[in-house]
Amino acid sequence: METIFIGGGVFILWAFWTDIKARKIPNILNILFMISGLLYHAVISGWDGLAFAGKGFLLGFGIMLILHWMKAVGAGDVKLFGGIGIWFGMGMTAQVMMYSIIFAGVIGLLIMLWRRETIMRMRRVFWKLIGSVLWKQSIRSTETEHQQFLTFPFMTAVLPGVVFCYLFIT
């Protein structure tokens, strides 16, 4: 199990560094992450290892793809979670995803409080919800509204999510 954490951890740290530096996770990193995980599991456990990796990939990639369609995460994060799924399997991938989303919510709230935007954003959400219920207006945001959304590198939430998960598993 330690080999899995070391192997996957190297790629997660690499992704963290590139996401902080350039706000992007390169495709070459994600491809290497996935291929190395597949090779590792194939060599260690054969077909059972590939099945383990495949299930993890489907969970990590699939759920993050839905979040990407909702414009909550970038495409690099989707591919990265495919790699996390391959290396760590379904169980740990689900936990890492849950912890990462919790950390992302906390980080987003802290940023909003720091910028003192919390009340203004909450009012905007409240009036959008009221408008959608009473006047059947669309809740979907326009492109200009989407550009005003609070964004930060998701890896700032994924890295602590992985560490937190690792500490509770071992």
Side-chain angles (χ1 to χ4, degrees):
M1 193 65 152
E2 290 297 322
T3 309
I4 290 174
F5 288 117
I6 293 169
V10 166
F11 286 100
I12 290 169
L13 287 172
W14 185 8
F16 176 80
W17 181 72
T18 60
D19 200 19
I20 295 298
K21 184 179 169 189
R23 300 278 310 246
K24 183 177 174 145
I25 302 172
N27 285 335
I28 188 70
L29 183 151
N30 286 320
I31 290 168
L32 290 173
F33 192 26
M34 290 182 212
I35 290 173
S36 64
L38 286 171
L39 288 173
Y40 173 80
H41 287 295
V43 168
I44 297 298
S45 303
W47 290 109
D48 290 337
L50 289 175
F52 173 86
K55 291 176 194 173
F57 172 81
L58 290 174
L59 177 79
F61 189 88
I63 291 175
M64 293 303 282
L65 184 61
I66 293 168
L67 291 174
H68 176 66
W69 287 336
M70 294 172 19
K71 299 185 190 275
V73 297
D77 299 317
V78 174
K79 294 173 267 187
L80 182 84
F81 265 89
I84 289 173
I86 289 171
W87 270 97
F88 299 143
M90 286 179 66
M92 187 170 166
T93 300
Q95 291 178 30
V96 167
M97 198 175 302
M98 178 188 66
Y99 292 135
S100 297
I101 291 169
I102 290 169
F103 278 112
V106 169
I107 291 167
L109 185 61
L110 290 173
I111 292 171
M112 285 189 340
L113 289 171
W114 177 262
R115 292 183 179 175
R116 301 173 190 227
E117 297 175 5
T118 309
I119 300 298
M120 182 179 69
R121 287 181 186 269
M122 290 176 80
R123 276 191 206 142
R124 210 177 307 146
V125 168
F126 175 77
W127 287 115
K128 261 193 174 279
L129 287 173
I130 294 296
S132 69
V133 171
L134 296 179
W135 299 286
K136 306 282 188 218
Q137 293 176 345
S138 173
I139 296 180
R140 302 190 99 212
S141 57
T142 63
E143 190 62 35
T144 55
E145 287 176 325
H146 181 70
Q147 290 172 352
Q148 295 174 346
F149 287 162
L150 174 67
T151 63
F152 57 90
F154 189 51
M155 285 305 297
T156 58
V158 174
L159 182 61
V162 170
V163 170
F164 200 75
C165 191
Y166 172 76
L167 292 175
F168 279 103
I169 286 180
T170 58

